Amino acid sequence: MVSSRDISFHVISLGCAKNQVDSERVNGAMLSSGFLPAPSGEEADIIIINTCGFIEKAKEESISVIFDALRDRDGRPGGEFGRRAVVIGCLSQRYRDALLAEIPEIDYLEGIPDDSFVERMSRHFGIAAEPPRNVRAPLVPGLAYDYIKISEGCSNNCSYCAIPLIRGPRGDYHPDLILSDAMAAAARGARELVIVAQDTAAYRHGDIGLPGLVRKLAGIDGIEWIRLMYCHPDHVDEGIIALLEEGGRVVPYIDLPFQHASASVLASMGRRGSAAAYLDLLGRLRERVRGIRVRSTFMVGYPTEGDGDFEELLDFLQQARIDRVGAFIYSPEEGTPAWKMADPVPARVKKRRFHRLMTMQRDISTTSLEAMIGNRVRVLVEERLEDGTWAGRSEYDAPEVDGVFFLTGKDLRVNSIVTARVTGAFEYDLAGVVS
């Protein structure tokens, strides 16, 4: 039997930040079981792909990466153990039988990884491994931020979304587990905690809701920023607004995935909101939370979206003036209520609507950024570009999905937070000097 200490591995994480947390748990379990980290799949004995299956584009990317990993596996000979490709995650949770039938070259396949995944995989391959510990190990060490996942699954059951089919109903983690995860992140050097879940705003464990949980996290030494992502707008209540209003370590930023603004489309999606309700929520946030920036996500091409519905969405965007927006094109997902509606919006119409929305939003975002010129903002320094020039993020920008702050200053430290004066604005990014 081969020992784990003679076998290298590499984890490839696809999809959202929630999936990245799962990948880091797998990474930590592998390391604690004695496996050796490899810098790339090409150099690893075991390539682990944590897939995404949320929408068609994500599925296609996952399949492409699986085939790339198989080519890497077969590209050079292995030692006594050989080389293996392992597939886990949302795609394999949902399409296990199809993947096994259509890609039999996969050496081992599971769905959503749990705490026993590494032990099962080791037994399958005949590897003598130490019992894994439930610890996270970042895939990219040294980052100044860390994602903190506070629940699993979702109970909103939006008509287009397959997440409840893949991950089940929402189950909120115990506050002590979340605090332990966050303290470990701080011990690794994280300055920012990014709170994630399928519906962060709905968190409740016993008598502790999201505001109470975040106030506990704010007491952790070393943490300077706490950012709220994926807050379903129907669940953003007075307590969450008050939390943002308090400020402190909670940055003036919130992610509110509105998805649409047409009353008929929202009703068909199974969402209770409306354009009027969303505008009211934005108004209350902007009135009470000084300088708040809002991010949102919208879908175009939903089966019931007619030309009039899309125009309502554009009108909403003009009124809402949301600072950061992401959009995606609807794709039918098997097993969801919307799947039964077929897909009546032609692909060319979907693409045209997508480009119209993003063109409009680009102008809105640019105007929002230009209005910041002359302001002083906090900036997290993340990378040295050259002498006197640095790249980072302002407190108004989430990692990976928002803009970059190009910073001029001397003798700065990576992963430090500085105050800068904004001197320039681009489509999505800012520039400034340390003040």
Side-chain angles (χ1 to χ4, degrees), residues 418-435:
V418 300
T419 300
R421 179 172 57 85
V422 181
T423 58
F426 313 101
E427 280 187 358
Y428 300 108
D429 305 320
L430 291 170
V433 296
V434 175
S435 61

Side-chain angles (χ1 to χ4, degrees), residues 384 386-390 407-410:
R384 179 181 177 273
E386 56 186 39
D387 286 345
T389 306
W390 312 77
L407 187 63
T408 301
K410 293 182 178 180

Side-chain angles (χ1 to χ4, degrees), residues 289-301:
V289 185
R290 182 179 179 183
I292 191 168
R293 300 299 191 273
V294 178
R295 176 177 179 80
S296 191
T297 308
F298 294 92
M299 177 190 294
V300 299

Side-chain angles (χ1 to χ4, degrees), residues 92-111:
S92 52
Q93 177 79 18
R94 194 168 185 209
Y95 298 106
R96 175 184 176 86
D97 292 342
L99 287 171
L100 289 173
E102 296 177 19
I103 316 179
E105 299 89 347
I106 295 172
D107 296 297
Y108 185 66
L109 184 145
E110 277 202 20

Side-chain angles (χ1 to χ4, degrees), residues 107-129:
D107 296 297
Y108 185 66
L109 184 145
E110 277 202 20
I112 307 298
D114 59 18
D115 293 344
S116 302
F117 158 69
V118 171
E119 291 179 293
R120 289 192 299 273
M121 184 198 69
S122 298
R123 286 196 300 270
H124 177 82
F125 289 142
I127 301 170

Side-chain angles (χ1 to χ4, degrees), residues 208-262:
I208 297 179
L210 180 66
L213 175 68
V214 171
R215 290 186 180 102
K216 289 178 179 290
L217 295 173
I220 298 174
D221 289 340
I223 298 302
E224 298 292 333
W225 292 355
I226 300 177
R227 189 178 306 276
L228 305 182
M229 302 294 290
Y230 310 113
C231 292
H232 192 303
D234 293 351
H235 299 148
V236 175
D237 58 14
E238 169 62 27
I240 293 175
I241 296 174
L243 173 71
L244 289 161
E245 187 178 19
E246 290 170 13
R249 295 184 176 182
V250 181
V251 296
Y253 176 105
I254 189 169
D255 176 29
L256 300 169
F258 291 126
Q259 303 301 1
H260 216 280
S262 160

